[in-house]
Amino acid sequence: MELNKIIESLLEENKTNKSYEMLETLIMKVLQQHFHEKGKELIPSYIIKNDFYYGEFDGFAPDGTENLEGSTIFEVKFYRSKSSTIKLFAEKNLEKINNRIIKSGLEVRNIVFIITLELNEEEKEKLKEQFNKQENINIEVWDLNDLTKIFELYPQTVNETYENISKLLINTKISTSIKESTSDWKSKQRTSIEQLKKAYTDDDLVLFLGAGVSIDAKIASWDNLVNDLLVNLIGSKLSEHNVNLSEAEKAFIVEKLKNSNGNSPLLMARYIRKGLEDVFSKILVEILYKNCIDTSDLLDGIAQLCLPVRNRVGIRGVVNYNFDDLLEYNLKEYKIKFRSIYREADLPLSHELGIYHVHGFLPRNSDEYNSLSKSLLVFSEEGYHDLMLDPYNWSNLVQLNYLRENTCLFIGLSMTDPNLRRLLDIAVRKQEENLYKHFVFMKRESYVREEYDQTNINNTSIEKFDVVNQKLQEDYYKELGLNIVWYDSYKEIPNLIKQIKE
């Protein structure tokens, strides 16, 4: 099969970042054989790691190529149009590549950019000229025609690799991750924080906040909200028949409901909302804030991150999936100018930070806000259905615009929201190149335990499983354009946020 047909086939079949990984795997596999026959070495997915940095080159040839002397790195880039190749040589992308070279400690003599489009010599030279800022580094551009000439030399390797590409991809990921140590995630964490710091400095960072942000401030969790509302609904109906539940009895029932998994929370919420009707929002607010303590280290850290920097914006916007007004409370403490957005007609002024409550807004003091009744409240199953079925809903458009145009950091989110995952997938498919520009804080799960020491469980084997499992999770989320920033304890997040601003 011709290379351009293979590229079209993989892109059409997968339509995600996974297709880019498959193409890169295929290209590097064929190039590796070509280099071997020329007496040269090519190392695919060359890892750079030290105590402070973790990065990767698509390929590294320590002895160069048959035509290039000295150590050579390879960067594979997939574009759908020639106009998009200009982004490759945009100043901030050149800076990222140069930063990786410096951090690697390698004395790089050549960089070969592999671009899966047909380019003439003039177009190649124009791209190379834009890289002249890099002294003592020779730049080469290989296009589709250059690759095709090499691929035609190894038709059997091409066909076998293409036919088994999915299996080869996962085998490569596992074999690569096995070589990593259990502490490499810390280097990756530091590298991600540096990238987030750069996005923050460039006024490009947007925060996406979920329920985990409000936990320490004792806002009622989703399950508690639903359970409390259900007890309230049933209790109100019982009282109509002279059966009155005491507070102790209500608490007892709520506790029992927490351990019951026989009902879908979304289905229950739908039922509850219809049952409570006009008093639903009022009761929901009471339950939401009944144990609230207004702030936490995490909320305070987020508020400080939102403080505008002199001559810069810092945080471009905040997408908040929570109903509560805790972020607003903490922003007021720092006298930050903001505007809560909870309906289509709302827009922040140029000097205001937009807080987009894309699932609805239930502040404690409703008198401070206009037209709250027009706020979209995504509390039950039909609310999610409305979002999924209406691609032009203002909530979807706000999120999609940020996901396409900016660097987004997800905090306190489990990433299981089906609509959010759908929007991430759309944003990835609309990209002109293979980018993983968003970040999500996630707790690292380790299966190594001290109690295993005295049993027939081998901790060394469990450690390797942990490393491979984390690597596969990282690759899975990359399909949605996300980089995982691992942490061990929830209490680490405020410090990680602080590092972004430093």
Side-chain angles (χ1 to χ4, degrees):
M1 186 185 294
E2 296 178 5
L3 180 56
N4 61 336
K5 298 295 185 184
I6 291 175
I7 292 173
E8 289 175 8
S9 173
L10 289 177
L11 288 174
E12 179 63 27
E13 180 181 350
N14 295 283
K15 299 179 182 177
T16 65
N17 279 335
K18 187 175 182 180
S19 59
Y20 295 132
E21 291 186 273
M22 288 180 169
L23 285 168
E24 182 183 312
T25 300
L26 173 63
I27 289 169
M28 298 312 294
K29 182 72 173 178
V30 176
L31 288 182
Q32 197 172 25
Q33 181 173 346
H34 181 64
F35 272 58
H36 178 72
E37 296 201 0
K38 297 297 181 181
K40 299 282 187 178
E41 181 184 16
L42 175 63
I43 307 170
S45 301
Y46 185 78
I47 303 296
I48 315 152
K49 59 181 180 180
N50 53 48
D51 290 341
F52 304 100
Y53 184 78
Y54 186 102
E56 182 178 329
F57 293 124
D58 295 335
F60 176 59
D63 301 319
T65 74
E66 57 184 314
N67 299 317
L68 298 172
E69 294 184 1
S71 60
T72 303
I73 61 174
F74 289 80
E75 289 288 298
V76 184
K77 300 294 178 182
F78 303 98
Y79 295 100
R80 293 183 173 87
S81 65
K82 289 184 179 181
S83 60
S84 301
T85 60
I86 302 301
K87 294 180 182 178
L88 168 62
F89 294 92
E91 186 173 346
K92 66 178 182 179
N93 285 327
L94 297 181
E95 187 177 338
K96 288 179 183 178
I97 295 169
N98 189 47
N99 185 51
R100 269 188 290 154
I101 293 172
I102 293 171
K103 302 271 188 182
S104 71
L106 299 171
E107 294 184 5
V108 175
R109 296 285 302 279
N110 312 289
I111 302 176
V112 177
F113 290 102
I114 298 175
I115 299 176
T116 55
L117 294 170
E118 291 185 6
L119 302 173
N120 58 41
E121 290 304 315
E122 182 180 354
E123 289 168 333
K124 289 183 182 180
E125 288 302 318
K126 283 184 178 179
L127 291 176
K128 290 163 64 174
E129 286 171 6
Q130 295 180 63
F131 208 92
N132 285 338
K133 294 179 181 179
Q134 305 300 317
E135 298 180 1
N136 303 319
I137 297 181
N138 175 57
I139 307 301
E140 293 293 326
V141 177
W142 293 3
D143 72 344
L144 186 63
N145 293 321
D146 296 313
L147 282 179
T148 299
K149 290 175 184 177
I150 298 175
F151 270 52
E152 287 174 346
L153 299 174
Y154 312 102
Q156 184 175 349
T157 301
V158 173
N159 290 332
E160 288 179 356
T161 304
Y162 173 66
E163 290 172 3
N164 298 283
I165 191 67
S166 294
K167 182 179 179 181
L168 179 62
L169 182 60
I170 193 167
N171 287 344
T172 300
K173 291 180 184 302
I174 292 174
S175 61
T176 301
S177 58
I178 284 175
K179 298 174 185 176
E180 295 188 8
S181 72
T182 53
S183 62
D184 281 347
W185 69 273
K186 294 181 180 178
S187 296
K188 293 180 185 179
Q189 183 196 78
R190 283 187 282 267
T191 300
S192 294
I193 294 300
E194 285 298 318
Q195 293 170 331
L196 285 165
K197 185 183 296 186
K198 182 67 169 59
Y200 178 77
T201 303
D202 292 342
D203 298 333
D204 186 45
L205 189 59
V206 175
L207 302 181
F208 278 60
L209 307 181
V213 166
S214 301
I215 287 176
D216 282 355
K218 302 190 183 303
I219 281 288
S221 67
W222 170 262
D223 286 343
N224 284 348
L225 276 177
V226 173
N227 291 335
D228 278 355
L229 283 168
L230 180 62
V231 172
N232 200 295
L233 170 62
I234 296 174
S236 65
K237 299 305 179 184
L238 288 176
S239 65
E240 294 175 6
H241 299 277
N242 298 318
V243 179
N244 297 305
L245 294 174
S246 68
E247 291 304 314
E249 289 165 343
K250 289 181 181 179
F252 171 79
I253 295 171
V254 167
E255 190 62 34
K256 289 296 181 182
L257 285 171
K258 288 180 184 178
N259 300 319
S260 172
N261 56 9
N263 295 308
S264 162
L266 284 177
L267 285 172
M268 287 173 63
R270 184 174 191 162
Y271 171 75
I272 292 165
R273 186 168 186 173
K274 289 182 177 180
L276 292 175
E277 296 179 328
D278 295 339
V279 296
F280 173 77
S281 293
K282 179 178 180 296
I283 295 173
L284 182 57
V285 169
E286 291 174 0
I287 296 172
L288 187 65
Y289 295 102
K290 68 178 181 179
N291 296 315
C292 176
I293 59 173
D294 294 332
T295 191
S296 66
D297 289 343
L298 179 53
L299 281 164
D300 184 72
I302 291 171
Q304 289 191 50
L305 187 63
C306 291
L307 276 167
V309 184
R310 181 177 297 178
N311 299 322
R312 295 204 313 270
V313 174
I315 298 299
R316 184 159 291 279
V318 179
V319 174
N320 196 343
Y321 294 93
N322 301 323
F323 303 142
D324 63 71
D325 61 7
L326 292 188
L327 180 60
E328 281 83 353
Y329 175 90
N330 283 268
L331 293 177
K332 287 176 183 176
E333 292 295 296
Y334 286 97
K335 296 180 171 55
I336 297 171
K337 300 292 184 182
F338 66 87
R339 183 178 293 268
S340 300
I341 311 295
Y342 45 86
R343 54 182 181 151
E344 188 170 11
D346 297 331
L347 285 173
L349 300 176
S350 59
H351 65 284
E352 294 175 327
L353 176 65
I355 312 298
Y356 295 87
H357 286 271
V358 293
H359 281 181
F361 189 35
L362 293 171
R364 282 166 286 191
N365 300 315
S366 58
D367 294 341
E368 296 180 9
Y369 300 90
N370 297 321
S371 303
L372 275 171
S373 61
K374 295 181 180 180
S375 167
L376 168 71
L377 191 62
V378 184
F379 185 76
S380 57
E381 190 179 45
E382 69 267 32
Y384 278 95
H385 289 171
D386 288 343
L387 283 181
M388 297 282 279
L389 294 173
D390 183 4
Y392 299 107
N393 184 286
W394 73 269
S395 166
N396 287 332
L397 293 177
V398 165
Q399 294 173 75
L400 191 56
N401 183 62
Y402 278 141
L403 291 171
R404 291 182 61 181
E405 302 298 330
N406 301 100
T407 299
C408 302
L409 171 59
F410 296 80
I411 307 172
L413 284 151
S414 64
M415 305 309 296
T416 57
D417 183 319
N419 191 54
L420 172 57
R421 294 168 67 84
R422 181 181 69 89
L423 293 173
L424 281 163
D425 189 50
I426 292 171
V428 166
R429 296 186 190 198
K430 296 295 183 181
Q431 287 178 180
E432 287 290 330
E433 55 183 320
N434 48 319
L435 288 176
Y436 314 107
K437 62 179 183 177
H438 306 310
F439 298 82
V440 54
F441 286 150
M442 296 192 76
K443 189 177 186 305
R444 193 175 72 94
E445 294 295 336
S446 176
Y447 294 94
V448 176
R449 298 286 186 272
E450 290 184 5
E451 59 265 28
Y452 294 158
D453 292 345
Q454 304 301 319
T455 71
N456 60 350
I457 302 295
N458 187 329
N459 260 343
T460 302
S461 299
I462 301 299
E463 284 179 354
K464 286 300 179 184
F465 172 83
D466 280 347
V467 172
V468 173
N469 184 41
Q470 286 175 25
K471 178 64 174 176
L472 292 179
Q473 287 185 67
E474 290 168 6
D475 288 325
Y476 168 71
Y477 279 99
K478 277 189 173 181
E479 290 187 33
L480 295 175
L482 290 164
N483 299 282
I484 296 179
V485 185
W486 296 111
Y487 61 86
D488 267 334
S489 168
Y490 183 80
K491 296 184 182 300
E492 295 174 34
I493 299 179
N495 185 51
L496 293 175
I497 290 173
K498 183 179 179 181
Q499 291 175 42
I500 296 171
K501 195 177 180 73
E502 288 178 345

